[in-house]
Amino acid sequence: MTVVIAGCGDLGIEAGLRFAALGRSVLGLRRSVEKLPPEIAGQSIDLSAHVPTLPADTSVVVIAVSPDERTRDGYLATYVDSVRNIAAAIERDCAAAPRVIYVSSTAVYGVSDGSWVDESTPATPASPTAIVLREAEALLLESVANSTILRLAGIYGPGRTRQIDRIREGNETLALTPYFTNLIHRDDAAAAIVHLATMATSPASIYLGVDDEPADQREVIGFLARSIDRPVPPPKADDGANDGRGRGKRCRNDRLKGTGFSFVYPSYREGYAAVLRGLGTLHR
């Protein structure tokens, strides 16, 4: 039984390697298949423009695409057009309906007052790109049976050191007011994909993929600064202006954990400690 990873970048490759370790045959769909590890077979394709060819025995499809450009048009091509083409391939090629795991984002919740969010919270996106993400979710749920949406928070992990680099270079500042951020380590995100795809019972249609601890971004920055022996960055200059971000949101992971899933990195502290120790590999 074949697992298809549609959009086989860093997260998709990590998930694919985990499926392969379970003895599954894995096919990765991406433009540059020469970058795939030997455990993952490749099909070179632009999913936004073409319908892929799927093995008849496909039992799982993971959709983990990422946009080339962060514009509304870029998101439409990457998410909506890709979902439409993958749905067509599933209907045409698969002998039986596969279980489909679609990686989306907590950005579909247009919440910015610091309140709590879970799967029952209405997804009312506030930005043009988040509106497209929600459109792609709806298209998938309407057109493909056995589909599950995994709304991931901000992914960090091996090689994803932008925040650390800013602190090290002295280019980071602290906000004057709390701003809640939600995170998930790349390895936990990949493990969640595999977990939902291989559950004995059918998963629900929507899960939030976030760790146990939404955190004030100032706390995260302070933790990282102390971890690399740098001064905690100074507060931003108070010019009376509001950056428009509000207070963010705090996402719950109760539904995901209720399936029996457990986190290797339950908070940013354990996860970033692993990053700073150089654990793991960034897949290109």
Side-chain angles (χ1 to χ4, degrees):
M1 305 293 281
T2 300
V3 175
V4 173
I5 311 289
C8 212
D10 181 40
L11 176 60
I13 289 174
E14 181 63 27
L17 291 172
R18 290 165 183 258
F19 281 116
L22 295 175
R24 307 293 287 272
S25 174
V26 183
L27 173 65
L29 310 180
R30 59 179 285 170
R31 294 191 187 99
S32 50
V33 295
E34 68 277 1
K35 297 180 179 179
L36 292 174
E39 296 90 340
I40 301 176
Q43 180 181 139
S44 180
I45 187 169
D46 179 354
L47 290 168
S48 68
H50 303 286
V51 176
T53 299
L54 305 184
D57 70 344
T58 297
S59 59
V60 172
V61 176
V62 176
I63 305 174
V65 292
S66 57
D68 291 331
E69 55 184 61
R70 297 190 176 277
T71 63
R72 184 177 184 276
D73 288 344
Y75 271 54
L76 280 169
T78 299
Y79 294 102
V80 176
D81 293 346
S82 292
V83 164
R84 186 177 290 113
N85 287 333
I86 293 165
I90 289 171
E91 182 176 2
R92 184 193 64 197
D93 297 337
C94 297
R99 183 173 293 184
V100 179
I101 309 297
Y102 177 70
V103 175
S104 185
S105 169
T106 57
V108 298
Y109 298 106
V111 175
S112 60
D113 61 359
S115 59
W116 287 92
V117 167
D118 62 18
E119 291 83 359
S120 67
T121 304
T124 53
S127 71
T129 51
I131 290 170
V132 173
L133 288 173
R134 185 69 188 98
E135 181 181 342
E137 288 183 355
L139 175 63
L140 180 73
L141 292 174
E142 290 167 3
S143 57
V144 180
N146 300 330
S147 295
T148 292
I149 308 297
L150 178 60
R151 293 172 175 162
L152 294 181
I155 301 174
Y156 69 103
R160 298 173 184 247
T161 60
R162 182 181 177 188
Q163 182 101 76
I164 297 168
D165 294 340
R166 285 179 55 83
I167 296 169
R168 184 174 280 119
E169 295 161 3
N171 295 325
E172 190 59 274
T173 58
L174 295 181
L176 295 174
T177 57
Y179 180 82
F180 292 102
T181 184
N182 302 272
L183 298 169
I184 186 167
H185 191 283
R186 194 268 324 260
D187 290 359
D188 279 331
I193 289 170
V194 176
H195 173 77
L196 293 175
T198 57
M199 283 170 52
T201 57
S202 295
S205 59
I206 297 173
Y207 291 90
L208 290 184
V210 301
D211 67 21
D212 288 348
E213 190 176 330
D216 184 342
Q217 196 169 49
R218 299 175 300 178
E219 296 176 5
V220 178
I221 293 171
F223 171 84
L224 289 173
R226 291 186 292 271
S227 297
I228 60 175
D229 295 322
R230 292 293 191 274
V232 175
K236 293 179 180 178
D238 185 3
D239 58 5
N242 189 324
D243 62 10
R245 296 193 310 168
R247 293 169 56 88
K249 56 184 173 284
R250 290 177 279 182
C251 297
R252 301 185 189 277
N253 62 12
D254 295 15
R255 179 178 288 181
L256 179 59
K257 292 180 71 174
T259 66
F261 182 76
S262 59
F263 288 82
V264 173
Y265 305 108
S267 81
Y268 68 88
R269 286 180 289 272
E270 296 88 356
Y272 270 121
V275 172
L276 291 169
R277 292 199 304 271
L279 299 181
T281 299
L282 175 66
H283 308 297
R284 300 293 185 180

